[in-house]
Amino acid sequence: TILTSIRATMFARSQETEEHAARMAQNSRELGRALGLTPGELNDLELLATLHDLGKVGIDDRILNKPGPLTPEEWVEMKRHPEIGFRIAMSSPDLAPIAQYILSHHERWDGAGYPVGLSGEEIPLGSRIVAVADAFESMVSGRPYRPAMGNEEALEEIRRQAGIQFDPQVVDVFEDVLD
């Protein structure tokens, strides 16, 4: 019941749809399976893929739904969502196992991400998987401030960011999963 309520709140407040969450969960699960995760880890990964942006419930609607680029001040606010999501997840025993992954899903392989600046394998694997799946899904779905890309164009951008934004091994396996 709590999960259903959280999901409904997230979908009502952001541009993300239930279809986006379903595709995220499916792509993440397939990627996790290809990387050898256990059934329990796959279940946590699927939950993470669905709730990775949980913290956006604490971000102002004017920022979440802004049709153009965010100002530097708005980006500071938006970058708070992993920490907000972490705190929400830690408050529920059912979500606590994915809290650290929620916190880390915007970290980058090169250490230039947020909120902590983790790099490489310091970033939990679940967060690295969701980062790739979310970037791909965001690119092929489009946003109010930019049109959708084709699958091949989005995959090429993911490839370009391997070793910079994304774990290169996860990118390699993602390519195989998409094929």
Side-chain angles (χ1 to χ4, degrees):
T1 302
I2 292 170
L3 181 57
T4 301
S5 176
I6 288 170
R7 286 175 50 130
T9 301
M10 282 177 48
F11 299 143
R13 294 212 54 238
S14 77
Q15 306 153 9
E16 295 177 358
T17 63
E18 290 187 59
E19 293 80 19
H20 166 80
R23 287 189 304 268
M24 277 287 302
Q26 166 102 18
N27 289 340
S28 295
R29 190 173 193 70
E30 290 301 318
L31 187 48
R33 185 176 290 122
L35 286 164
L37 271 57
T38 67
E41 291 169 330
L42 290 172
N43 289 338
D44 284 349
L45 183 61
E46 192 170 331
L47 183 61
L48 170 64
T50 303
L51 299 179
H52 67 282
D53 279 337
L54 170 63
K56 286 184 177 178
V57 299
I59 304 298
D60 188 298
D61 284 338
R62 290 172 296 193
I63 294 172
L64 280 180
N65 299 314
K66 186 175 179 180
L70 299 180
T71 66
E73 295 79 21
E74 290 167 335
W75 264 115
V76 167
E77 179 69 14
M78 182 64 88
K79 286 181 176 182
R80 292 181 50 239
H81 84 269
E83 294 171 281
I84 295 168
F86 172 80
R87 287 194 306 272
I88 293 169
M90 286 301 292
S91 71
S92 166
D94 293 330
L95 300 181
I98 66 165
Q100 191 63 45
Y101 301 134
I102 290 171
L103 182 66
S104 304
H105 79 276
H106 280 292
E107 299 290 357
R108 292 172 43 120
W109 189 255
D110 65 4
Y114 62 90
V116 179
L118 300 176
S119 64
E121 293 188 5
E122 294 175 328
I123 305 165
L125 180 58
S127 301
R128 290 182 270 148
I129 291 169
V130 164
V132 171
D134 189 36
F136 181 81
E137 177 62 30
S138 295
M139 286 186 269
V140 299
S141 299
R143 291 291 183 255
Y145 50 87
R146 69 165 165 68
M149 296 179 181
N151 284 5
E152 191 52 45
E153 185 182 5
L155 185 54
E156 184 56 39
E157 181 59 26
I158 298 278
R159 283 187 202 113
R160 276 194 292 275
Q161 293 299 314
I164 302 167
Q165 183 174 354
F166 306 118
D167 177 337
Q169 179 189 4
V170 172
V171 171
D172 287 344
V173 174
F174 184 69
E175 281 188 83
D176 293 341
V177 166
L178 281 182
D179 287 341

